Amino acid sequence: MDAIPLKRSNTILITGIVFAIFYFPAIGQLFYHDGQFTAARIVSSRVVIWGEVLLLYFYAAAIEKNKLLLWADKKYNAGFYFASFGALYLLGIGAGIISKAPALFGYHDDRKLLLRLMGIVATSWPMLILTAVTAGITEELIFRGYLVPRLEVLFKNKYMPVIISSLAFGLIHYRYHSLGEVIFATLFGVVFAIHYQWYRNIKILIITHACVDFVSLCIFKLALHYHLPIK
């Protein structure tokens, strides 16, 4: 049976989606293929990740003839931001708890690479802030802001965008060789993708994501300072 040719618009859409999903793993492979983390590599990788947002912006403008964010941000009052922040943060903690489930079945997660990375980031406040802010802005713009609306256009339903964007977000964390981190990121992605579908406000997702990473890194920094056991 001959393949049904895709419309040009679908081809453009799929190309952007594929690029958005696989750019991150490619960067991880480029900078961390040997499992070695250095401050210079970490900073360089953050800069290159910002480059993906820039490339997607120009791709959307020049090729798709559209904006980076297909959904205009809806405006809400301060109460919405406080309530959403609290709910998203608590659900993020819930995702973290669930990510420990493999341990109940005797699986011992390997967090050596992740802890090594966090150890380098936590030694410097500028690097800590850069890491948290970069993750909050770039990952939300890419995996929620760019991907979710386009996947919804492509699949014409609300379920596949959540599944695909969340799995893609979870799997980019596999570079740390930590199953728990993949589970956490995937569940985190589900919560944030659904919130974006419901409320169409990327700002609160960026703020919450950056805060989650910032607080986690600060706790790790304190643990290092006071020589507390870290697992």
Side-chain angles (χ1 to χ4, degrees):
M1 181 181 294
D2 293 332
I4 300 173
L6 290 170
K7 293 181 180 178
R8 181 177 180 276
S9 58
N10 281 352
T11 303
I12 291 172
L13 202 61
I14 292 170
T15 300
I17 289 169
V18 170
F19 175 79
I21 290 174
F22 287 100
Y23 185 98
F24 254 90
I27 294 306
Q29 182 65 21
L30 176 64
F31 285 94
Y32 309 124
H33 63 279
D34 55 2
Q36 299 299 313
F37 294 107
T38 65
R41 282 191 182 187
I42 293 170
V43 172
S44 297
S45 68
R46 301 307 92 178
V47 172
V48 175
I49 288 170
W50 279 98
E52 178 177 4
V53 176
L54 190 62
L55 288 171
L56 287 174
Y57 173 84
F58 285 117
Y59 183 83
I63 307 301
E64 294 179 358
K65 307 298 182 184
N66 221 318
K67 295 181 179 179
L68 176 69
L69 303 180
L70 294 183
W71 296 343
D73 251 23
K74 289 186 176 180
K75 295 181 179 180
Y76 296 95
N77 58 30
F80 164 83
Y81 287 96
F82 283 113
S84 288
F85 180 86
L88 289 168
Y89 206 102
L90 287 174
L91 288 169
I93 292 173
I97 293 171
I98 294 172
S99 71
K100 308 298 182 185
L104 299 176
F105 300 95
Y107 178 83
H108 301 288
D109 209 355
D110 184 2
R111 290 168 53 83
K112 291 179 183 177
L113 287 178
L114 180 61
L115 294 178
R116 192 184 309 160
L117 171 65
M118 292 177 69
I120 295 172
V121 170
T123 59
S124 164
W125 279 112
M127 190 178 297
L128 189 154
I129 293 170
L130 172 66
T131 299
V133 170
T134 295
I137 296 176
T138 63
E139 292 176 11
E140 290 310 315
L141 287 177
I142 295 165
F143 289 94
R144 260 63 73 179
Y146 183 85
L147 279 178
V148 171
R150 285 165 174 80
L151 287 167
E152 196 165 302
V153 170
L154 186 64
F155 287 97
K156 296 179 175 57
N157 68 62
K158 293 184 178 294
Y159 305 106
M160 291 305 293
V162 173
I163 294 169
I164 294 173
S165 65
S166 302
L167 285 175
F169 184 63
L171 289 174
I172 67 168
H173 292 77
Y174 182 71
R175 65 181 179 271
Y176 303 128
H177 299 171
S178 169
L179 177 60
E181 191 67 16
V182 171
I183 294 172
F184 167 73
T186 301
L187 295 175
F188 190 93
V190 168
V191 170
F192 276 51
I194 292 174
H195 190 282
Y196 191 49
Q197 284 183 329
W198 286 359
Y199 300 106
R200 300 196 177 188
N201 186 286
I202 200 71
K203 295 185 184 72
I204 187 59
L205 301 183
I206 290 173
I207 293 168
T208 307
H209 189 153
C211 286
V212 167
D213 282 16
F214 179 76
V215 170
S216 297
L217 288 168
C218 284
I219 292 172
F220 189 87
K221 187 177 180 68
L222 286 173
L224 289 178
H225 180 76
Y226 290 104
H227 306 289
L228 301 175
I230 302 171
K231 297 181 179 180

